[in-house]
Amino acid sequence: MNREAMAELAKKNIDTSSKDLSDFKLTHLELFKQKGFTQKDPEAYKFTNIASFMDALETSPYEGDEIRFENYLDQNFHSVVFIDGVLKSPLPIVAGLSFTSISDAFAKKSFSLIENNPLSHFHHALLGSGIQIEIASKTKIEKPIRLVNIVTRSGITAPTIIIKAQPFSEASILEENYDQAIAHAVISESYVHIEAGAIIEHIQLSHGSESALMHSTTQAYVGRDGKYNNLLLNLSGKLNRRNLGLELLDSGAHGESYNLYLTNKTEHSDISTVIHHRAADSTSNQIAKGILDGDSKGIFTGKIHIYPQAQRVVSGQLNKNLLLSNKAQAHSQPQLEIFADDVKCSHGSTTGQLSDDEVFYFMARGIPAEKAKILLAHGFGLEIVHKISNKTSRQKVENIVMEALKTKFQLGASK
């Protein structure tokens, strides 16, 4: 689907019943027509060409089986289910927790959007699908919040997620993206606002088919003594491009970024993160891991920028890739930009295959080589899953990841 076809699609989806919203969409539609896929930093998409990303979208009239949102509810979560971009499930009623549709939130002018990637203007031209979540001050939401996005139709959906954590609030939020083997693209944007002392755990999991395209951008802002823990898990899909921007705005702000990408056949996963330390005494930690097989490609680009006023910053970054095939490609680009003189920072990157010594260690204890390789790969990937602090979220994600590891890789097979 080229730029002209995308613009025509956006135009058809503009509803003139709400003048402010339609004007907003039209403005960004015109900007998309003018700018196309231009980028502020061409290096940011060095390994993922956006025009090719959209050209790869092959739409068809085929639709998947009709599904019921009830099948995706889970009593252990406060669940919100979208099917083809439309909210289907009743919104949970929870003390201290409020949900607002994106259209209503826009009318109330309760959020603002930015243009920080080549698809932002197009996303804004389709604005309407999604939800705003607000956690009241001094409120801990015991059950995790679960947002499920299911695609059954060919085309493009553009969900928007707004998360507002008032001072000293706490919640765990799990986003899941699935499809029914439909050729489609999901272009999503999330905005997270964490006020003083608030804690948000935000898990974003993509489990698409061989024809699924995913482009997502998450922008988070963390205030004094606030904490944001983001986990990006690309488990499958033809192409996954994930952007994370993390702004640590005040003293004591803490950010964590954990990434896991599993690729096989010709899958393409590209994760790009930028952490801005704008204040003194802010801290961050980042670990990205990839398991790659077949002719697949995994890319991790992580940048930590420390501003002159941000003294006494402590930050660490690590990327590890496990190659199960001689043809799989891993590209790692850890970056530090330090403009303060009193900081503690580290970064590193390793890429390799399963260690013969480690396999031998298991074999010496009676465990067959194939079983040893499976255990080593599982342990390698599950380190990221175990960074999830909420037990309910962690157990659900671990089950999904274990199943993906089981079905995705043929460990020990000839390559």
Side-chain angles (χ1 to χ4, degrees):
M1 182 178 289
N2 58 30
R3 184 176 17 161
E4 290 73 21
M6 292 172 65
E8 189 61 29
L9 174 66
K11 185 177 180 180
K12 290 179 180 178
N13 282 273
I14 295 178
D15 183 357
T16 57
S17 61
S18 172
K19 186 176 187 307
D20 288 345
L21 183 55
S22 62
D23 287 348
F24 175 84
K25 291 182 176 183
L26 285 168
T27 297
H28 284 281
L29 175 57
E30 289 305 314
L31 288 170
F32 174 68
K33 288 179 179 179
Q34 295 170 20
K35 297 181 179 180
F37 305 113
T38 56
Q39 305 163 30
K40 294 179 181 178
D41 179 9
E43 286 295 311
Y45 282 79
K46 179 179 179 180
F47 295 98
T48 302
N49 184 283
I50 289 298
S52 297
F53 170 87
M54 295 312 306
D55 284 342
L57 178 60
E58 299 175 358
T59 59
S60 75
Y62 173 76
E63 295 184 8
D65 297 332
E66 185 175 350
I67 59 175
R68 295 171 56 86
F69 75 83
E70 291 89 348
N71 296 337
Y72 290 86
L73 300 181
D74 187 327
Q75 63 180 0
N76 297 313
F77 292 81
H78 300 300
S79 297
V80 179
V81 181
F82 295 86
I83 299 176
D84 298 316
V86 179
L87 175 64
K88 292 294 185 178
S89 63
L91 291 174
I93 301 175
V94 184
L97 181 63
S98 65
F99 296 91
T100 309
S101 72
I102 288 299
S103 297
D104 289 344
F106 180 88
K108 296 174 182 176
K109 296 181 171 56
S110 64
F111 68 88
S112 60
L113 306 180
I114 60 177
E115 293 74 53
N116 59 2
N117 69 76
L119 287 172
S120 283
H121 288 305
F122 180 71
H123 169 274
H124 299 350
L126 292 174
L127 185 68
S129 170
I131 202 82
Q132 177 175 281
I133 303 168
E134 188 161 1
I135 304 106
S137 178
K138 300 180 181 178
T139 300
K140 180 177 181 179
I141 306 300
E142 296 294 342
K143 276 188 181 182
I145 302 161
R146 179 168 171 252
L147 308 176
V148 185
N149 181 45
I150 309 145
V151 177
T152 69
R153 299 177 182 175
S154 180
I156 302 173
T157 56
T160 304
I161 307 297
I162 311 293
I163 300 170
K164 293 187 173 184
Q166 300 296 342
F168 304 101
S169 62
E170 184 175 350
S172 177
I173 300 171
L174 169 61
E175 287 184 48
E176 298 177 59
N177 287 281
Y178 297 94
D179 66 81
Q180 292 191 341
I182 306 297
H184 73 282
V186 175
I187 300 171
S188 69
E189 295 204 0
S190 300
Y191 297 84
V192 185
H193 302 269
I194 299 174
E195 297 194 19
I199 301 173
I200 291 294
E201 179 172 75
H202 187 194
I203 307 150
Q204 298 173 290
L205 186 152
S206 177
H207 207 342
S209 66
E210 293 183 356
S211 56
L213 307 177
M214 162 67 76
H215 184 283
S216 80
T217 298
T218 299
Q219 190 68 35
Y221 306 88
V222 186
R224 180 178 293 272
D225 297 324
K227 180 180 178 180
Y228 179 62
N229 182 14
N230 178 275
L231 293 101
L232 291 176
L233 300 104
N234 288 344
L235 303 187
S236 60
K238 181 177 182 177
L239 189 151
N240 278 288
R241 167 67 190 218
R242 299 275 198 170
N243 300 317
L244 171 65
L246 180 53
E247 300 276 346
L248 303 174
L249 302 175
D250 212 335
S251 174
H254 179 71
E256 296 184 11
S257 169
Y258 299 112
N259 316 134
L260 176 64
Y261 42 99
L262 311 179
T263 62
N264 202 349
K265 299 181 180 177
T266 59
E267 291 178 327
H268 179 107
S269 173
D270 187 352
I271 294 176
S272 175
T273 67
V274 182
I275 300 176
H276 292 279
H277 284 269
R278 296 186 181 274
D281 302 301
S282 55
T283 54
S284 67
N285 190 46
Q286 182 172 52
I287 301 174
K289 284 192 166 187
I291 303 178
L292 302 90
D293 205 348
D295 293 313
S296 67
K297 183 180 293 185
I299 302 104
F300 170 75
T301 303
K303 180 185 294 185
I304 298 172
H305 187 104
I306 302 176
Y307 289 77
Q309 70 274 18
Q311 302 295 336
R312 300 176 300 282
V313 160
V314 178
S315 181
Q317 182 188 84
L318 179 63
N319 177 218
K320 291 185 175 182
N321 294 292
L322 178 60
L323 302 181
L324 303 179
S325 162
N326 292 328
K327 296 181 180 180
Q329 298 180 43
H331 300 271
S332 181
Q333 301 181 104
Q335 303 170 26
L336 294 176
E337 296 178 346
I338 303 173
F339 297 93
D341 53 16
D342 183 7
V343 300
K344 294 180 180 179
C345 293
S346 64
H347 70 163
S349 175
T350 62
T351 297
Q353 297 181 326
L354 287 169
S355 167
D356 291 338
D357 290 340
E358 290 176 325
V359 174
F360 178 78
Y361 176 87
F362 279 88
M363 293 175 64
R365 285 152 181 80
I367 299 174
E370 297 309 309
K371 181 66 173 178
K373 292 177 180 179
I374 293 171
L375 290 172
L376 287 167
H378 285 192
F380 180 88
L382 288 178
E383 179 189 358
I384 299 299
V385 177
H386 292 163
K387 296 296 183 180
I388 300 173
S389 61
N390 183 279
K391 292 181 180 179
T392 303
S393 296
R394 182 171 65 246
Q395 186 59 59
K396 187 169 190 67
V397 172
E398 182 171 338
N399 291 340
I400 295 171
V401 171
M402 285 292 288
E403 182 63 24
L405 287 167
K406 178 182 176 181
T407 59
K408 195 176 187 78
F409 304 115
Q410 297 296 318
L411 297 174
S414 59
K415 304 298 181 185

